Amino acid sequence: MDWSISKAKLFQSCQRKWYFTNIARWNAKKKPIKREAYLLKSLQSIQAWRGSLVDMVIEKRILLPIYFGNPIPNEDSVISYALSLADKQLNFGINKRHLEKGMTKSKAGEEFAAFFDVEYNGGLDPDKIEHAKQEIKTAIQNFYKLPILPELTDPNTKLIIQRSLKFPYNGFNVTAIPDLIIFKEGKPPHIIDWKVHEGRYTDYWQQLTVYAYVLNQVANLKAHKDFPRSFVSDIPDPQTYSITEYQLLKGISKPYTISQEDINHVEDLIHITGEWMQEYSEEIETLSPKDFQTTLFPASCVACSFKKLCQEVENNE
């Protein structure tokens, strides 16, 4: 079993949704509930889709060229690519192409998209589509205004992009995938997370603290080969790491500090939720959806991708 902060939060909020998410495996073709869960797991709100697309564009069209030593791409060309990709994904999702026989995410490539409103509400609102496309443009424009942009192109800076970090703990793996890690000679690492939200309070200190903790553990146990030698030879305390959340719609940064209390909180969270999730994971093939508690907040069911399956479970009691 792999533990992550997102999986732990899901387990805490609704165990049954966690169950449906974890049984959604492509290789379970002979079990209809698993196939259905796999298809429903792909559904996204228009807001979540917008954020995923921005993440993909930043990673593949901006950061990777910089990583390979190329000049930072032209802002207008990146926006043009992002909006073109948005149209392709909208076409794919509106036509429910993810349901086509033999279709997979790898086969669809960057065009893959599946929408909650298409599945449950009869389609996407044209006004929401246009609003989301404008926000995609705004997010990329704000990225190009970030004060760290010169740092990203500094030849003395080492970028680690969307790296999967993992270390073993009590029979399961603790995992994290930071959007970006910046290493600079003589300085502790800087961990960055891009967020695309509008009009609501956000605070991702816990997520970023988990990233810092996992990076530190990986470096101490088995550092990746491309980690800077200066970092591996003298691994700094995670409390010294810089962690920053960038709100790309608002054009603001939210740096956080890490205390020993924060580290203790993360360790407790991993231990408590991980042990519980591991126990369920070991028996997941023999358990049914009824064995898992539902959320204490019914309002959250309205936007849940698995509500169709969940309702079937309740109706069959």
Side-chain angles (χ1 to χ4, degrees):
M1 183 203 77
D2 286 346
W3 182 99
S4 69
I5 182 63
S6 59
K7 290 180 180 181
K9 287 184 174 180
L10 178 58
F11 187 84
Q12 289 176 312
S13 63
C14 182
Q15 290 182 11
R16 188 176 291 177
K17 186 175 181 180
W18 176 87
Y19 166 78
F20 285 136
T21 299
N22 278 275
I23 66 165
R25 296 178 182 140
W26 179 257
N27 61 5
K29 295 180 180 178
K30 295 183 179 180
K31 296 184 179 181
I33 189 174
K34 292 191 175 186
R35 173 63 177 163
E36 183 73 2
Y38 171 82
L39 295 172
L40 294 176
K41 180 183 178 181
S42 301
L43 300 180
Q44 288 185 300
S45 68
I46 193 77
Q47 293 84 7
W49 163 76
R50 171 204 62 198
S52 297
L53 187 143
V54 169
D55 279 347
M56 179 189 297
V57 170
I58 289 175
E59 176 193 354
K60 296 187 175 182
R61 291 288 163 162
I62 301 177
L63 295 180
L64 280 177
I66 293 174
Y67 176 84
F68 287 110
N70 298 312
I72 186 167
N74 176 270
E75 178 181 336
D76 289 339
S77 69
V78 173
I79 291 174
S80 177
Y81 169 80
L83 295 179
S84 175
L85 179 59
D87 286 336
K88 292 176 182 178
Q89 291 188 353
L90 286 165
N91 180 67
F92 189 100
I94 289 171
N95 289 292
K96 302 177 76 168
R97 292 197 56 209
H98 67 292
L99 298 180
E100 291 178 3
K101 186 176 181 180
M103 181 58 70
T104 64
K105 287 185 178 180
S106 58
K107 183 177 180 179
E110 290 186 348
E111 294 186 19
F112 185 92
F115 295 101
F116 178 91
D117 282 341
V118 172
E119 178 68 27
Y120 286 105
N121 297 326
L124 297 176
D125 184 328
D127 290 338
K128 290 183 178 180
I129 291 176
E130 289 307 311
H131 186 63
K133 290 170 73 172
Q134 180 56 51
E135 289 181 328
I136 290 169
K137 182 178 179 180
T138 298
I140 294 172
Q141 288 173 332
N142 284 335
F143 179 90
Y144 274 85
K145 297 175 185 176
L146 293 178
I148 64 162
L149 208 57
E151 184 179 356
L152 300 182
T153 56
D154 185 332
N156 296 316
T157 296
K158 172 74 173 180
L159 304 182
I160 303 291
I161 306 163
Q162 285 280 327
R163 175 63 57 82
S164 178
L165 305 172
K166 180 183 295 189
F167 74 89
Y169 177 90
N170 282 7
F172 57 89
N173 294 311
V174 178
T175 66
I177 307 179
D179 285 338
L180 180 65
I181 306 172
I182 298 176
F183 287 107
K184 205 160 188 180
E185 188 69 31
K187 293 185 178 181
H190 185 183
I191 301 174
I192 292 173
D193 200 54
W194 320 115
K195 296 299 179 186
V196 184
H197 293 307
E198 181 188 45
R200 63 185 177 127
Y201 174 77
T202 59
D203 190 342
Y204 289 93
W205 70 267
Q206 185 184 59
Q207 178 182 352
L208 283 158
T209 302
V210 168
Y211 289 171
Y213 178 78
V214 175
L215 173 60
N216 181 262
Q217 292 294 312
V218 169
N220 276 290
L221 292 172
K222 190 176 182 181
H224 292 197
K225 292 181 179 179
D226 59 350
F227 284 179
R229 185 174 300 177
S230 59
F231 171 70
V232 176
S233 62
D234 187 19
I235 301 170
D237 189 290
Q239 293 181 62
T240 67
Y241 295 7
S242 297
I243 54 174
T244 307
E245 166 197 345
Y246 283 100
Q247 285 287 348
L248 294 179
L249 284 184
K250 300 175 182 178
I252 61 174
S253 62
K254 299 177 70 174
Y256 302 102
T257 57
I258 303 174
S259 67
Q260 184 58 51
E261 184 179 358
D262 295 331
I263 297 296
N264 294 342
H265 172 83
V266 165
E267 291 177 333
D268 288 343
L269 180 68
I270 293 172
H271 179 76
I272 294 170
T273 60
E275 292 289 322
W276 203 359
M277 290 160 63
Q278 174 73 350
E279 184 176 341
Y280 273 113
S281 295
E282 291 173 351
E283 302 179 33
I284 200 165
E285 293 293 336
T286 62
L287 297 174
S288 75
K290 295 180 181 179
D291 295 314
F292 294 82
Q293 295 179 359
T294 55
T295 179
L296 297 176
F297 305 98
S300 64
C301 298
V302 175
C304 177
S305 298
F306 299 107
K307 65 180 181 179
K308 180 189 297 186
L309 280 177
C310 199
Q311 287 168 355
E312 290 176 4
V313 171
E314 297 300 319
N315 293 336
N316 290 331
E317 285 188 347

